[in-house]
Amino acid sequence: MNGNFPDDEVAANRALWDARAQAHGTTPNDMLYDVDSFLAGRQTLYGIELELAGDVTGQDVLHLQCHFGMDTLNWARLGARVTGVDFSSTAIVRARELAKLAGLTADFVEADTQNLPSGLASRFDLVIATYGVLCWISDLDAWMRGAEMALRPGGRLVLVDLHPAYQTLASYEPLVADWPYGGGEPQREVVTNTYADPDLPMTAQEVVQYPHSVGEIVTAAAGSGLIIDRLGEHTEAEFPGSRILPEGPDGTRRFPFSDTYLPILYSLRARSPRAATA
């Protein structure tokens, strides 16, 4: 967390997300990005972020690492004025196209969330980022400073992400953990598929991810000046991306451990320390 995010690592990850942005939502077996049902009105947001964000009607919302904009545009459907940020030029092009198809108004900005443009400063009531976010970030401090910078006085950050304990898992049956719990050291691997459609063959791409513990994430948020008012750890996940875990009869997935469950997700809500003006 020292302010360095090497260009080669960013470039490698950008190449992966360019490819995923091109592929997602284009195959019949895509588990997460069904564009047709989205255009027909499907809501892609989940209960945790909806609860933490509250009513966004009339609010300015900044969605960090927005991919090709499906969730961003669902915030617009809920009445927000939305801006999405992603470092993939392919994702931004597709997001703008999707907004036109959906008849929704949104701004999309191509930028690294570790180095947000100064033009976003103090413009937003809510900054939101969800699911598969911080494992791609080498500098938590820079990311949190950017989120705080973008908030208006009294504005809020809502972050919902995969729990570091869950991210250590390579498989559940058999139980194999082969990823560090935290520390932020770069973890390199070659990826040949995508979580949205695991059977879709993709060109092999080396990527770099960064393990961050809950303590490191909270410390980075506090260090940016944000005031944390809620930290949650969640033992259930509604989305199909955690498919290495068993699915229950109710359609949710849990991480069984002895006679209890370990967390799959965490959520953090924080607010700008600056007082809101009347």
Side-chain angles (χ1 to χ4, degrees):
M1 304 198 304
N2 58 4
N4 297 318
F5 22 96
D7 290 343
D8 64 328
E9 295 177 5
V10 173
N13 290 345
R14 183 182 288 114
L16 173 77
W17 285 101
D18 281 345
R20 286 180 169 179
Q22 189 68 39
H24 285 168
T26 67
T27 61
N29 294 325
D30 192 304
M31 299 184 296
L32 293 172
Y33 303 106
D34 184 336
V35 172
D36 288 341
S37 67
F38 163 78
L39 292 173
R42 176 174 63 93
Q43 175 59 258
T44 64
L45 305 173
Y46 294 105
I48 298 173
E49 59 263 35
L50 290 169
E51 177 190 352
L52 291 175
D55 185 0
V56 298
T57 304
Q59 294 192 353
D60 292 297
V61 173
L62 178 65
H63 182 196
L64 300 180
Q65 291 160 248
C66 68
H67 199 28
F68 70 99
M70 196 171 281
D71 283 359
T72 316
L73 294 170
N74 267 304
W75 290 110
R77 281 178 172 164
L78 294 175
R81 294 181 294 270
V82 298
T83 299
V85 173
D86 201 277
F87 73 163
S88 164
S89 59
T90 305
I92 293 300
V93 168
R94 281 203 68 195
R96 291 169 179 163
E97 292 172 348
L98 187 63
K100 289 180 181 179
L101 288 171
L104 295 166
T105 299
D107 291 327
F108 289 99
V109 177
E110 182 183 340
D112 189 335
T113 54
Q114 296 169 108
N115 188 23
L116 289 177
S118 60
L120 298 177
S122 301
R123 283 181 46 193
F124 298 95
D125 304 296
L126 174 67
V127 172
I128 190 153
T130 54
Y131 308 108
V133 179
L134 294 185
C135 63
W136 300 102
I137 299 302
S138 65
D139 191 331
L140 285 180
D141 293 331
W143 193 95
M144 290 292 181
R145 285 195 304 268
E148 196 282 326
M149 174 272 288
L151 289 170
R152 290 184 174 130
R156 297 156 297 138
L157 167 68
V158 169
L159 170 64
V160 184
D161 210 350
L162 302 176
H163 197 285
Y166 168 66
Q167 288 183 294
T168 65
L169 284 188
S171 68
Y172 174 67
E173 290 181 334
L175 186 63
V176 177
D178 69 348
W179 217 57
Y181 176 76
E185 291 300 314
Q187 307 295 309
R188 296 179 180 269
E189 65 174 325
V190 175
V191 174
T192 58
N193 61 10
T194 177
Y195 59 91
D197 186 352
D199 297 325
L200 177 67
M202 300 189 71
T203 301
Q205 174 67 51
E206 183 180 70
V207 300
V208 188
Q209 296 186 68
Y210 310 89
H212 305 296
S213 69
V214 171
E216 289 161 352
I217 293 163
V218 170
T219 298
S224 74
L226 289 166
I227 299 171
I228 298 162
D229 63 33
R230 181 165 169 180
L231 176 66
E233 296 179 285
H234 308 276
T235 58
E236 299 178 357
E238 303 170 70
F239 60 92
S242 56
R243 64 191 190 93
I244 65 172
L245 296 176
E247 182 175 346
D250 58 356
T252 62
R253 295 178 186 268
R254 298 173 178 83
F255 183 178
F257 188 77
S258 185
D259 59 353
T260 186
Y261 299 101
L262 294 181
I264 303 172
L265 305 171
Y266 73 89
S267 60
L268 182 148
R269 186 176 65 192
R271 61 180 172 84
S272 167
R274 297 163 289 166
T277 56

